[in-house]
Amino acid sequence: MSYTKGMLKEGALRGKTILVTGGGTGLGKSMGLYFLKLGADLVITSRKLDILQETAKEMEKATGGKVLALACDVREIEQVEKMWADAISHFGKVDVVLNNAAGNFISPTERLSTNAFNTVLDIVLKGTSNVTLTAGKSWIKSKHPGVFLNIVTTYAWTGSGYVVPSAAAKAGVLAMTRSLAVEWAKYKIRSNAIAPGPFPTEGAWSRLLPGDLVKKFDPAKKVPVGRVGEHQELANLAAYLVSDFSAYVNGEVITIDGGEWLMGAGEFNNLDMIPQEMWDMMEASRGKKQ
């Protein structure tokens, strides 16, 4: 079975302008590329303009769509406001904001400096709030309907050791998503989130888990369906949630992880490592008839 096919019909996003933070690389790039294929105009932002411009050219060549690359550090509200004004000036409007920019460290928490901890909080939570407030205020003032889609994580609600600043920040983004879904619905502004499981991106995992650690902690081994996700699968879900087909979906977080977080949540889920012979012995020990 192929997991790399687009889900929505041709032109499903035609007429929409979509802004993707962290859109120059990785999952942001993959989602943005699919939005373009569906007819949307695209704004991509990150701190590195050279990478953005290269990505924009690549995307336009592949799809024939229109891509505006704007450098922006989402931690700085002045940069966010300028980026938003430039996007509006160029395309006339922005209909959708995909808050995808993120940062993370895998580390024992006691090894993190205050600066390292705050860097993750600033990019993920403060950055998302900066973009959300800027876009939301603009939409409300101009009475323009809008859609927010925020990328969170399953440990936003379970918590997780060794990624504490990310867990805290993503939990804040999730709370903001649900809160604004209620508060801003009267302005015709929807807010939803996606919690992706393991979706390999070039270089990302090797930076988080260098050397042989990547193989030792192979994420696919923790996924019940036995594999990691394909970028198109995430792009399909994102495209649906920013499209008019999902007009009645508001305040939701949708997990796409092959069952990974449920497997980790169950206290005895790792018992699948017990060999059949040992199960036989356990049954025999409690007198079960074979």
Side-chain angles (χ1 to χ4, degrees):
M1 180 177 178
S2 174
Y3 308 105
T4 58
K5 292 182 179 179
M7 180 178 75
L8 296 186
K9 64 183 181 181
E10 184 179 346
L13 296 178
R14 187 167 292 126
K16 293 188 182 297
T17 301
I18 301 176
L19 187 153
V20 181
T21 68
T25 58
L27 297 178
K29 178 181 177 181
S30 296
M31 289 183 281
L33 184 62
Y34 188 47
F35 298 160
L36 279 171
K37 289 179 179 178
L38 293 172
D41 293 329
L42 191 67
V43 182
I44 55 175
T45 79
S46 74
R47 287 177 294 166
K48 298 180 179 179
L49 184 59
D50 55 339
I51 293 176
L52 287 172
Q53 291 174 333
E54 184 177 331
T55 297
K57 290 179 182 177
E58 179 185 331
M59 286 177 157
E60 288 182 337
K61 183 177 181 181
T63 66
K66 299 176 182 178
V67 185
L68 175 64
L70 295 174
C72 176
D73 185 339
V74 293
R75 296 173 294 181
E76 303 296 333
I77 187 61
E78 295 83 5
Q79 292 189 36
V80 171
E81 290 174 344
K82 183 179 186 306
M83 175 271 293
W84 181 261
D86 290 345
I88 297 293
S89 175
H90 186 85
F91 283 120
K93 64 185 178 68
V94 173
D95 305 287
V96 176
V97 169
L98 172 53
N99 281 307
N100 171 71
N104 199 4
F105 299 104
I106 292 182
S107 170
T109 307
E110 69 273 16
R111 290 174 174 261
L112 291 174
S113 67
T114 300
N115 183 61
F117 200 106
N118 286 340
T119 295
V120 176
L121 290 179
D122 285 350
I123 295 172
V124 177
L125 183 54
K126 181 180 174 182
T128 300
S129 66
N130 281 342
V131 175
T132 299
L133 283 172
T134 299
K137 289 177 180 180
S138 173
W139 285 336
I140 292 167
K141 184 177 180 180
S142 63
K143 297 182 179 180
H144 186 85
V147 175
F148 288 110
L149 180 59
N150 300 324
I151 303 300
V152 294
T153 175
T154 53
Y155 58 71
W157 55 84
T158 64
S160 177
Y162 304 96
V163 285
V164 171
S166 175
K170 291 290 191 180
V173 171
L174 181 55
M176 182 168 62
T177 303
R178 288 171 166 160
S179 301
L180 290 178
V182 175
E183 184 180 346
W184 284 356
K186 60 181 176 286
Y187 300 119
K188 294 183 170 53
I189 297 173
R190 292 191 296 122
S191 297
N192 291 298
I194 295 175
F199 284 83
T201 56
E202 186 177 351
W205 284 1
S206 61
R207 288 192 298 271
L208 291 172
L209 294 169
D212 292 335
L213 287 176
V214 173
K215 295 179 181 178
K216 186 174 182 180
F217 294 97
D218 180 6
K221 295 178 181 177
K222 296 172 56 184
V223 180
V225 300
R227 66 176 179 86
V228 295
E230 295 284 348
H231 283 215
Q232 185 62 50
E233 294 177 287
L234 178 61
N236 283 341
L237 178 57
Y240 166 71
L241 289 173
V242 303
S243 75
D244 294 337
F245 295 112
S246 65
Y248 202 50
V249 182
N250 187 38
E252 284 302 308
V253 53
I254 299 179
T255 302
I256 178 168
D257 73 345
E260 180 196 31
W261 91 273
L262 292 173
M263 183 175 177
E267 184 175 357
F268 297 105
N269 281 340
N270 62 349
L271 295 189
D272 59 3
M273 293 184 290
I274 293 179
Q276 292 299 317
E277 295 78 9
M278 189 170 290
W279 284 119
D280 293 341
M281 291 173 57
M282 292 166 67
E283 288 178 2
S285 71
R286 60 178 186 265
K288 181 179 179 180
K289 294 181 180 180
Q290 301 297 317

